[in-house]
Amino acid sequence: MVDRTEQVALSDDGTGRLTALMEDVLADAYEPQPAALPGPLAIRTDSCTVDPPFFGNGDIGRLAVCHTVNGLAATGAEPRLLTLAVVAEAGLPLALLRRTAASVRDSAREAGVTVAAVDTRVVRAGELDRLTLSVTALGAAAPPPPGARPGDRILLTGPVGDHAAHILSLRAGLGYEHHVPSDCAPLPGLLSALRAAVPPDAVRAVLPVTDGGLAEALHRLDGRVDGVIPVRYETQVALEALGVDVLDAACAGVCCVVVTPEAVGSALTALRSHRYGREAALIGEVVEGPTGAAMPAGDGPVRLR
């Protein structure tokens, strides 16, 4: 057991003590010599910072894993392995480092991935906001989605804005975070269930709704939104108090999914049968450009009604 009063020390840098601590907490989610992955590989790397790094129903460990595996799964790949690099400030309580490792472990198990390598470094106090994580995800590559076409339908896997409302309220000390949990979640299982339920190529595109919010995803799709965008009442209240437009609010466990018109029913049924897609909704469609074709991503209009 680690004394809860112990802290990360600058002298820990390069000794392997903190890496061993992380590996111990990761337990069976850590496999330093995993079996080789078959076929072509897909890879994604992300660095994660969040202020504050520890929040109500999550922390930087869960956020980093979810962000990376969700981004890889959105391409159609099946995430299998992770590597993890942790940079910690001297003075960080070891209890928080253990909490981070436990979050990585639990999120990796939920996402169906194994941590294959861990590294830790220490910097002087005040040089970063306690912790920074870098995660690389590797997986079995698959043909990428064919891309959105005019007339395709736009779905959301869940309500938007929860993560931004939680973090920003916590940062400002407004108290809304007690009523609005973060939506941070690993989505490979949800996306696999979706693809298994619809015909091949029926899923045209998958865009995680992250920084930039739903507005950024819709600009990339050149979409028209005619349906009701799902937003929780508490989230809407919190974001209005913070002066943040719900369309710009970051999410950490929501995807914008584009499917063919014929696949909408099957797609919504598959999404709503999963714990992270129970409130999935049809919100709009991809629009045509002046020539009748889809506009280049980001060049066309986004129409809200």
Side-chain angles (χ1 to χ4, degrees):
M1 290 292 292
V2 174
D3 186 340
R4 295 184 67 85
T5 64
E6 279 193 277
Q7 298 178 336
V8 173
L10 195 59
S11 59
D12 287 324
D13 190 48
T15 66
R17 186 174 82 103
L18 300 182
T19 299
L21 182 152
M22 297 285 294
E23 292 171 350
D24 179 63
V25 177
L26 288 169
D28 62 347
Y30 177 62
E31 186 178 348
Q33 293 182 324
L37 294 178
L41 297 181
I43 186 169
R44 178 186 174 100
T45 296
D46 290 292
S47 294
C48 183
T49 61
V50 59
D51 177 23
F54 302 93
F55 46 91
N57 62 318
D59 55 43
I60 189 172
R62 181 170 179 81
L63 188 64
V65 172
C66 292
H67 185 79
T68 308
V69 298
N70 292 351
L72 189 63
T75 68
E78 181 184 353
R80 299 280 187 82
L81 301 176
L82 294 180
T83 67
L84 174 67
V86 180
V87 182
E89 273 191 348
L92 179 79
L94 286 185
L96 292 182
L97 191 62
R98 292 181 67 87
R99 171 179 167 176
T100 301
S103 291
V104 170
R105 177 197 66 210
D106 296 343
S107 301
R109 286 172 177 167
E110 191 175 357
V113 298
T114 299
V115 180
V118 180
D119 183 50
T120 56
R121 300 306 301 260
V122 182
V123 299
R124 289 185 291 270
E127 290 188 347
L128 73 153
D129 189 5
R130 293 193 277 183
L131 276 176
T132 295
L133 270 62
S134 294
V135 175
T136 297
L138 298 93
R149 300 174 186 173
D152 288 341
R153 302 303 193 259
I154 304 171
L155 313 180
L156 271 181
T157 62
V160 294
D162 289 357
H163 182 69
H166 182 88
I167 293 294
L168 295 176
S169 175
L170 180 60
R171 193 182 300 169
L174 297 183
Y176 292 110
E177 67 275 10
H178 300 299
H179 307 284
V180 183
S182 168
D183 57 29
C184 185
L187 301 180
L190 174 70
L191 297 178
S192 293
L194 168 66
R195 292 187 170 102
V198 299
D201 293 338
V203 178
R204 301 293 199 185
V206 178
L207 298 175
V209 181
T210 54
D211 296 338
L214 181 59
E216 180 185 355
L218 292 176
H219 271 292
R220 293 171 65 186
L221 292 172
D222 302 327
R224 181 176 70 220
V225 176
D226 292 325
V228 176
I229 296 173
V231 185
R232 301 186 202 282
Y233 172 76
E234 296 85 355
T235 299
Q236 183 71 50
V237 171
L239 291 175
E240 288 178 354
L242 290 158
V244 178
D245 192 316
V246 69
L247 294 174
D248 298 323
C251 304
V254 177
C255 280
C256 201
V257 178
V258 181
V259 299
T260 58
E262 300 78 13
V264 169
S266 298
L268 285 175
T269 297
L271 292 173
R272 290 169 179 169
S273 66
H274 193 278
R275 61 180 296 194
Y276 294 132
R278 290 172 182 164
E279 297 178 75
L282 170 66
I283 64 165
E285 66 179 87
V286 179
V287 300
E288 290 184 345
T291 62
M295 296 286 288
D299 289 345
V302 175
R303 306 168 187 169
L304 301 180
R305 183 169 64 184

